[in-house]
Amino acid sequence: MKKITIHELLQDYKKILHHDITVYGWVRAFRSNRFIALNDGSAMDNIQIVVDYEQFDENTLNKISVASSVKITGEVVESQGSGQQIEIIAKKIEILGDNFTEERDKTILQPKRHSLEVLRDQAHLRFRTNLFSAVFRVRSAVSFAIHDFFRQNRFFYINTPIITGADAEGAGEMFTVTNLDLNDLPKTEEGTVDFSEDFFGKKTNLTVSGQLEAETAAMGLGRVYTFGPTFRAENSNTTRHLAEFWMVEPEVAFNNLEDNIDLAEDFLKYVINYVLDHCKTDLEFLDKRFAEEQKQKPEKDRAKEGLIEKLENVVKKRFKRVSYTEAVEILMNSKENKKGKFQFPVEQWGIDLQSEHERYLVEKHFETPVVLFDYPKDIKAFYMRLNEDQKTVAAMDVLFPGIGEIIGGSQREERLEVLRSKMQEMNVDEHELWWYLDTRKFGSVPHAGFGLGLERLILFVTGLTNIRDVIPFPRTPNNAEF
Ligand code: 4AD
Ligand code: MG
């Protein structure tokens, strides 16, 4: 017989009512030596197993405890109790994995809420909790929704390299990849490390973005996107930064900045809508948790909307589009700024916006997602298209409530000479990017794209607040466990 998941069983139980079936799972609770709440990860819901203890030997019963794994065969019947429609009357119980007795009393195995910090250190049990299993089911759904969106719009999914010689962002936040013997490094005549002796015959690093390769592909395929891991050696230990995160980067030939903003807005709304439609039980759980968390906060810090309500509103409202210049004026004239409430005061045009500024705009001033565009050229990457004012570039950031920047993108500089002089100005190695410059030499076209940080979107959708809790195995400064 084909194995059935608890999710399938609960979805469509009428056919098997009064039949015997076999289920597998982990014990979430065992009450009164009689009721097992069994979960197999396929959904939030448990199936209730009714055990007549007189029919089973004591040894088996003793091994049924929170977290042990079992295989149970029994009859599917309509439930006598409230809270579930069906239950299984156990006929055969097989213990698959007992709990090591000396570990059995660890509080982590108890059916209670654990702090997220504690769970972060318990790789195997993390996936067993209601919270994390919900988060990772939602993360999986979001990933598929992303592919769906692009496929429906005839984008091609391309895979860009993880090992590269390029610094796509020109920010120097790269992890070096080397095969050299670190205890016996070959040196050049100048005394620096001689990377020509390294595996690739040059210095390489983990990619910080697949954009430059995606641009190259878009110059022939038209509409492409990447979806892969990206690495940043920025030493910022915040709740929004990971050293390894997943980025989605569409790149579209013939698009300008406005097309790019439209695409970003449609894309985010599609994915959020998908989660609302397909992750109901998990979202309801997360929504309840979110409400409880809010209750513990001082009244002034509480979210105005519930989690699901917030998601529904984001899908309904049009994102507010504001130029950087306008945003800086709003910030300069804000009460917060005048009263010195910002850690970084907004004093002049040209400053890089901090997350406190982004969040003020989104959460206090506009109360809706905001797209900022036309940033000063000096605070943005070399590849962004220079505007006619010669001061700003055709950049765009999408800012979300509670998150800040969720998407960063731009129209790209397609004019070879302008790009070259920008690279010189910003000290970007032309020699390393010869292949990128080639795309501007043979049939260059206007084009645009953006990058979405997957984990930041998952934070938004799940209502969690620490980015370490929405990626299965977080990588942050001083942490590469598991
Ligand atoms: O703004 P960023 O640096 O843009 C790029 O990398 C462009 N090449 C994208 C493009 O135009 N194709 O990064 C894009 C997004 C950010 O908006 C943020 O959501 C996320 O990636 N991000 C991070 N997420 C987690 N941890 C980090 N350290 C992140 N750095 C960026
Ligand atoms: Mg950015």
Side-chain angles (χ1 to χ4, degrees), residues 169 232 358 380 383-384 396-397 405 407-409 451 456:
E169 291 301 299
R232 305 242 170 131
E358 297 175 341
K380 287 291 184 187
Y383 52 70
M384 298 191 180
M396 53 163 270
D397 276 3
E405 179 190 336
I407 277 182
R456 294 204 186 164

Side-chain angles (χ1 to χ4, degrees), residues 169 209 211 232 234 242 247 249 405-406 408 412 450-451 453:
E169 291 301 299
S209 157
Q211 179 195 320
R232 305 242 170 131
E234 50 190 336
L242 290 163
M247 186 147 60
E249 297 183 274
E405 179 190 336
I406 197 163
R412 318 306 188 188
F450 60 79

